[in-house]
Amino acid sequence: MKGAHSSTRKKVVIRRLDKALVKGYADSDTFLSADGVEILNLEGRLQLVPTDQIKGIYFVRDLDGHRERPERKTFLSRPRMAGLWVRMTFRDAEVLDGLISENLLAHEPDGFLVTPPDVYSNNLKIFIPRSALASMEVLDVIKNGARRPYQQVRRARRSPTGVSAQIDLFSPTGQTEAP
């Protein structure tokens, strides 16, 4: 029975691609449908927002947010929670880091449920539709909460992965080694 328990309704702010905001309440288990996202808006009416118009669905602590507090969009160091550390670039060139489940079978076919980098912000989780993204890059796989300085992670990502980075197991082509 869809929406039978009011305790499953969570506060959400839908950020549309045209920069408009839609505030309301969504059923955390069944908010996605083939037609879009259905929320109970602040006027008490059910409203359907098509998925292709959504940049993100923000599950929030407070519908008004914290305007005086700037929100961090990238991790300053390696995250402490387990998961895949990803960097998402939206179609409008905005960049956002986050953590997603490392179990790729657990992801919705329409998008990703992301834990944002700023744990003290108003945003608890964000659902990012695939259609809102230009690209997504996995920066690291976090197995435990051990921290590693961000500079080490950046160096690891920049290290070459081509032939020159390989260890010398074989002699160069056309040369033979003397016995």
Side-chain angles (χ1 to χ4, degrees), residues 72-81 85 87 97-99 116-118 139-140 142 145-154 157:
R72 193 168 20 112
K73 299 201 180 253
T74 59
F75 287 105
L76 299 177
S77 62
R78 187 172 189 257
R80 290 182 183 229
M81 296 180 285
W85 175 8
R87 177 157 294 152
D97 279 6
L99 284 172
D118 192 350
L139 300 179
D140 205 354
I142 314 296
R147 286 214 177 236
R148 195 168 68 189
Y150 186 69
Q151 270 53 12
Q152 285 182 1
V153 174
R154 284 181 47 194
R157 285 198 315 256

Side-chain angles (χ1 to χ4, degrees), residues 31-42:
F31 67 98
L32 285 176
S33 71
D35 298 328
V37 176
E38 185 178 82
I39 69 165
L40 182 63
N41 66 22
L42 298 180

